[in-house]
Every structure is written in C-alpha cells, then in structure tokens.
C-alpha cells in the first residue's frame, strides 16, 4: 500500500503516523501560567536532539477536534519553563489519567494523584514519583502550522537533572534495567522496557565492519541466514582465518554425515552458524561457515 498523506483525513493520518513511528518515549510536562496555576500533561511527540547543549523537543499539537491549543502550550507562552518528568511503568495509569481534557486551571497533579516536589531553578513543580526529572528552560516554540493537528515544537534546554538513586549503579550511572520506561505506540498501545525485552547490540563504530557486500557469496546469498545474522557476521574488521584449534562436536558430525552432499552440508553449516549467532557467538559462527 502506498499512502499520500496530503489527501487524508486527520484521524487516518494520525493512525498511520502514530502506529508506524513508534515506540515514542513520554515526556510528562509540568508547567505554570502567569498566575502560578499548575498543569501536568503527557506528550509522546518527544525526544532528545542534542547533548551539548542538552536539548529535548516535545510537541503539544493543536487539537484535531476543534483546532484549539493545549494548556501546556499556553502556559509555556506565558512562562517558558518546564519540568520534563520521565514516565515509567509504575506511573502509566496515573499519567494517562492526567491526559484528560480538564478545564484550564485544573491541576492534574491533584487529579492524577501525583505529589508536587519543588524544582530548584524554575517555577513548575516536579513529579516526585518520577525517577528522572529535568528542569528545562524553553528556548524556542516553533509552530508547525495553523490547522487542526499542527504541532508546536517546544525546544527545551535541560539545566538540571534529578535522578532517583534507586536506578543508579555503584558508579552513579543509570542502570538501564532498573528504569522501566513506558512508550506510546498507535491507538491505545504502549510498551514497557524491562529485563525480558532488553537486548544489546554492540556499537559498530569501534571498528569498521567489512559490510555485507564483502561476505563470501555463499554466506551473503544464504537461504538460512537472516539479515540480522549477516549484520552480525559483517561487523568484523576482516574475514577471520580458519582457526586450527577450533574443535566442535556438532561441526565434526556435520562433516561426517553430509560431506558426500555439498548442498545438504551447506544447509547444515548455515543452520548451525545461525544457532551460534542467536547466542551471539559470532567468532564460532564464522569458524563454522569458513569450513564450507
Ligand atoms: C501517553 C500520552 C501521550 C500524548 N502525547 C501527546 C503529544 O505528543 N502531543 C499532544 O498534543 N497531545 C498528546 N497527548 C494528549 C495530551 O496529553 C492531552 O491533550 C492533554 O489533555 C493536554 O493537556 P493540556 O491541555 O492540559 O496541556 C498524549 C496523551 C497521552 C496519554
């Protein structure tokens, strides 16, 4: 299916964009107006865009329903300060509750049952229950249109972070497994980061991978190895040499049973290499594949 976004009703546009561009982290924004009335609302059009200076951007859109602007945006136009609270699994239902369209002046800390904790540099309070909070000054608000659904980029510089000691390791670094972020997808879907679904991919920029195009043809064109498998194999500085010290019983058996049939042997070697790659045993997988 090919979609042209210009000829689409907003609800469909929202459907395709929000299901496709996901998961999105959630910024729980605490703001105040000129009179000090507090607002707290979640925004998943949010991300980190710069480390130095430390810049995050989020976007309170014009309401699709009636093209009105959100209280968060109105507050930021009056007082350009925001606390961005990171939302984790422990907070998700209260955070969702805070997204209700309460009338202006209603404090969603109270509605959603969160605790206000004074910030140290700015006027809006922090959400005590959040494990990471960032005190930010707003450096620019860039409207992206005037029609219903148009976003407003709120470009924020983080001035101070507050991090719960409980998610830090002994070096005072954030332990990823301990921060159970939630993220928004399409419609009512969310996902959570936890130990069951976290995995690591080694950064490739410590070395220059040879690239999939440099893999031997029988590996590159394998009917068994997947794109992920090829990606792992090709992230080596050079094609390894056969290691005469590499002994492996499964490999020995494959040779014993399939050496009279090269097609079958290739299939068996590739299947075994795939098993090793699934366990991230890349060197061993290479040794198996080099034997063909
Ligand atoms: C998890 C979550 C993410 C949301 N993300 C956005 C967003 O990125 N932009 C937006 O305009 N509204 C978003 N909303 C809806 C706003 O939170 C909602 O309109 C809220 O009432 C705005 O409050 P305000 O008028 O007090 O600022 C989101 C709601 C939820 C529950």
């Amino acid at each position: 299916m090919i979609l042209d976004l210009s000829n689409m009703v907003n609800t469909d546009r929202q459907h395709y964009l929000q299901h496709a561009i996901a998961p999105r982290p959630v910024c729980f924004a605490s703001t105040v107006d000129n009179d000090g009335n507090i607002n707290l609302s979640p925004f998943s059009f949010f991300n980190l865009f710069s480390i130095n200076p430390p810049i995050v951007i989020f976007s309170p859109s014009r309401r699709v329903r009636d093209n009105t602007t959100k209280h968060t945006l109105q507050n930021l136009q009056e007082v350009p300060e925001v606390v961005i609270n990171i939302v984790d699994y422990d907070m998700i239902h209260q955070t969702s509750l805070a997204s209700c369209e309460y009338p202006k002046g209603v404090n969603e800390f109270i509605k959603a049952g969160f605790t206000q904790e004074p910030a140290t540099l700015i006027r809006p309070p922090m959400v005590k229950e959040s494990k990471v909070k960032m005190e930010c000054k707003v450096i620019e608000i860039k409207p992206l249109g005037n029609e219903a659904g148009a976003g407003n980029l709120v470009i924020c510089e983080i001035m101070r972070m507050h991090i719960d000691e409980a998610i830090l390791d002994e070096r005072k670094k954030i332990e990823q497994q301990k921060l159970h972020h939630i993220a928004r997808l399409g419609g009512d879907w969310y996902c959570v980061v936890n130990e069951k679904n976290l995995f690591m991919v080694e950064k490739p920029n410590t070395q220059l991978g040879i690239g999939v195009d440099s893999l031997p043809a029988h590996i590159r064109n394998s009917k068994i190895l997947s794109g992920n498998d090829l990606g792992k194999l090709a992230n080596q500085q050079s094609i390894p040499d056969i290691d005469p010290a590499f002994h492996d019983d499964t490999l020995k058996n494959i040779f014993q049973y399939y050496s009279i049939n090269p097609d079958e042997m290739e299939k068996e070697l590739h299947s075994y290499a795939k098993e090793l790659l699934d366990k991230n045993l890349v060197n061993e997988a290479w040794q198996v594949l080099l034997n063909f």
Side-chain angles (χ1 to χ4, degrees):
M1 180 169 78
I2 296 176
L3 295 173
D4 182 351
L5 294 197
S6 55
N7 300 323
M8 204 181 261
V9 291
N10 260 331
T11 46
D12 282 348
R13 224 185 256 138
Q14 186 171 27
H15 169 95
Y16 290 112
L17 291 172
Q18 293 191 192
H19 282 75
I21 301 167
R24 300 178 305 279
V26 175
C27 141
F28 204 16
S30 160
T31 56
V32 292
D33 67 13
N34 268 334
D35 299 324
N37 294 306
I38 294 166
N39 193 279
L40 180 65
S41 297
F43 297 96
S44 70
F45 293 0
F46 162 58
N47 224 308
L48 168 67
F49 283 87
S50 167
I51 303 294
N52 184 22
I55 301 291
V56 290
I57 298 178
F58 71 98
S59 175
S61 308
R62 289 178 161 274
R63 291 194 179 85
V64 170
R65 194 177 58 245
D66 57 7
N67 195 15
T68 53
T69 58
K70 305 210 169 166
H71 303 141
T72 302
L73 179 68
Q74 294 163 14
N75 286 359
L76 292 171
Q77 283 160 341
E78 292 179 22
V79 179
E81 301 174 344
V82 55
V83 176
I84 294 182
N85 304 275
I86 293 295
V87 180
D88 71 351
Y89 189 70
D90 294 341
M91 299 167 62
I92 180 56
H93 288 282
Q94 284 171 283
T95 302
S96 173
L97 179 60
S99 78
C100 289
E101 302 280 349
Y102 293 113
K104 188 154 168 60
V106 169
N107 179 343
E108 289 91 355
F109 274 91
I110 294 169
K111 281 287 169 205
F114 284 116
T115 315
Q116 291 175 203
E117 183 181 5
T120 56
L121 302 170
I122 58 175
R123 279 161 282 181
M126 309 190 289
V127 175
K128 187 166 191 290
E129 289 80 358
S130 171
K131 297 184 177 70
V132 179
K133 327 163 226 263
M134 291 164 283
E135 298 189 46
C136 306
K137 67 173 182 232
V138 173
I139 53 180
E140 191 183 335
I141 300 178
K142 184 170 172 37
L144 298 176
N146 297 316
E147 297 190 7
N152 293 279
L153 293 189
V154 180
I155 305 175
C156 310
E157 179 165 351
I158 303 170
M159 294 181 297
R160 187 169 278 178
M161 284 178 91
H162 301 252
I163 306 176
D164 187 334
E165 297 274 344
I167 65 165
L168 298 179
D169 63 18
E170 57 291 346
R171 292 170 307 129
K172 300 275 181 203
K173 294 286 179 352
I174 295 179
E175 210 169 318
Q176 196 65 78
Q177 300 93 309
K178 289 190 174 164
L179 183 48
H180 300 149
H181 287 98
I182 57 92
R184 189 128 200 239
L185 298 95
D188 290 341
W189 289 106
Y190 286 82
C191 63
V192 58
V193 172
N194 60 32
E195 298 203 29
K196 268 187 260 152
N197 56 31
L198 272 176
F199 62 96
M200 282 178 157
V201 176
E202 206 184 320
K203 278 189 209 69
N205 58 6
T206 50
Q207 52 171 33
L208 208 56
I210 54 170
V212 170
D213 57 331
S214 299
L215 292 173
H218 81 93
I219 298 178
R220 199 175 61 234
N221 301 322
S222 170
K223 298 215 162 42
I224 288 162
L225 297 168
S226 67
N228 274 338
D229 296 330
L230 299 187
K232 287 181 189 174
L233 291 166
N235 186 27
Q236 300 278 316
Q237 273 166 304
S238 58
I239 294 182
D241 294 324
I242 293 181
D243 177 1
F246 181 73
H247 291 297
D248 183 288
D249 287 344
T250 309
L251 185 59
K252 228 189 281 170
N253 286 340
I254 294 174
F255 274 127
Q256 203 171 334
Y257 293 117
Y258 297 98
S259 48
I260 44 159
N261 185 339
D263 283 349
E264 283 303 309
M265 184 154 99
E266 187 185 62
K267 263 194 225 156
E268 289 300 315
L269 288 174
H270 283 206
S271 301
Y272 184 42
K274 189 177 182 55
E275 261 176 52
L276 294 167
L277 288 168
D278 285 344
K279 295 181 199 149
N280 280 329
L281 298 171
V282 180
N283 294 335
E284 290 78 352
W286 261 115
Q287 288 305 316
V288 168
L289 292 166
L290 288 170
N291 274 286
F292 186 67

